[in-house]
Amino acid sequence: MRVVHVAPTPFGHTGIFGGGERYPLELARALARHVDCELVTFGARATVREPGGLRVRVLRPVLELGHPAHPLAPGLPAAVSGADVVHTHHTHSAPSRMAALVARTCRRAAVTTDHGLPGGALRGALLPLFQRFLMVSEYSARELGSPSSRTRVIHGGVDGDRFRPDSRQRRRGVLFVGRITPHKGIDRLIRALPADVDLTVVGTAGHDRDAP
């Protein structure tokens, strides 16, 4: 079994420190312990590296369609053509569309997980390309409009060994950093916090980068 994940923007200092970038990286890292798994993404330098057993292939785009999530690289079809399963992230991104087309042409499984990238005029038109939709929440599934018969919600998790409060430290509060949109679940965070814990929220409103 060979699984190839396709993410339009990489996680980290050369890309974006966002959940839509961290999610495919961590999922691919976990899968690499069990199957032949590769993460394909895009950046200034075309490289192949293997952190912790996972192959990360960075393709150099020749064109960007007006947004960082829409890079076009001639090496993408070859990078996914040999996969048994092609799992794209940010369903409406240009790499997701191209990878899904290649997968279906090669009679391979095309799976997608959406992370909130707007679809514009193509909203809904690309859904027939995918055989399965692995969504992070019911909200994301409704927003994408994925068919219920082909959709499964798998909530995001946290590695408790890496991320946990230090019991030796005095409780100081909680910091949330991210876009302020319904699917981020800030309302649930507020309800879950004890009354004596302060919450600081830092982020932009929705997809408007100019909003305060």
Side-chain angles (χ1 to χ4, degrees), residues 18 22 41 74 115 137 142 147 153 155 157 162 168 176 178-179 205 207 209:
R22 184 66 179 261
T41 189
H115 300 283
S137 67
R142 290 195 303 270
V153 174
H155 297 117
R162 295 177 61 191
R168 299 168 297 179
F176 170 91
R179 287 183 291 117
H207 296 285
R209 294 183 177 181

Side-chain angles (χ1 to χ4, degrees), residues 75-88:
L76 179 59
V80 302
S81 61
D84 297 294
V85 177
V86 176
H87 188 160
T88 74

Side-chain angles (χ1 to χ4, degrees), residues 181-192:
T181 55
H183 69 284
K184 295 296 184 179
I186 300 176
D187 56 327
R188 298 191 179 192
L189 174 60
I190 293 172
R191 291 197 299 268

Side-chain angles (χ1 to χ4, degrees), residues 83-193:
D84 297 294
V85 177
V86 176
H87 188 160
T88 74
H89 297 265
H90 287 299
T91 304
H92 294 295
S93 69
S96 178
R97 304 170 201 171
M98 181 180 293
L101 282 170
V102 173
R104 298 308 298 270
T105 301
C106 297
R107 300 181 181 275
R108 304 300 185 183
V111 179
T112 190
T113 298
D114 192 55
H115 300 283
L117 182 71
L122 290 174
R123 180 181 175 88
L126 303 173
L127 301 188
L129 289 175
F130 300 98
Q131 294 161 297
R132 293 291 184 271
F133 299 84
L134 300 183
M135 309 303 290
V136 297
S137 67
E138 296 287 353
Y139 175 87
S140 294
R142 290 195 303 270
E143 284 294 296
L144 184 65
S146 58
S148 58
S149 61
R150 292 185 281 145
T151 300
R152 183 177 179 184
V153 174
I154 302 177
H155 297 117
V158 176
D159 185 343
D161 292 331
R162 295 177 61 191
F163 303 102
R164 59 183 177 183
D166 189 338
S167 60
R168 299 168 297 179
Q169 297 292 325
R170 181 176 63 86
R171 189 162 57 190
R172 297 177 179 177
V174 173
L175 171 65
F176 170 91
V177 179
R179 287 183 291 117
I180 303 174
T181 55
H183 69 284
K184 295 296 184 179
I186 300 176
D187 56 327
R188 298 191 179 192
L189 174 60
I190 293 172
R191 291 197 299 268
L193 285 178

Side-chain angles (χ1 to χ4, degrees), residues 1-3 28 30-38 53-55:
M1 171 69 69
R2 183 168 186 262
V3 179
L31 283 174
R33 296 196 292 265
H34 307 282
V35 299
D36 181 6
C37 187
E38 181 172 282
L54 170 68
R55 292 191 306 276

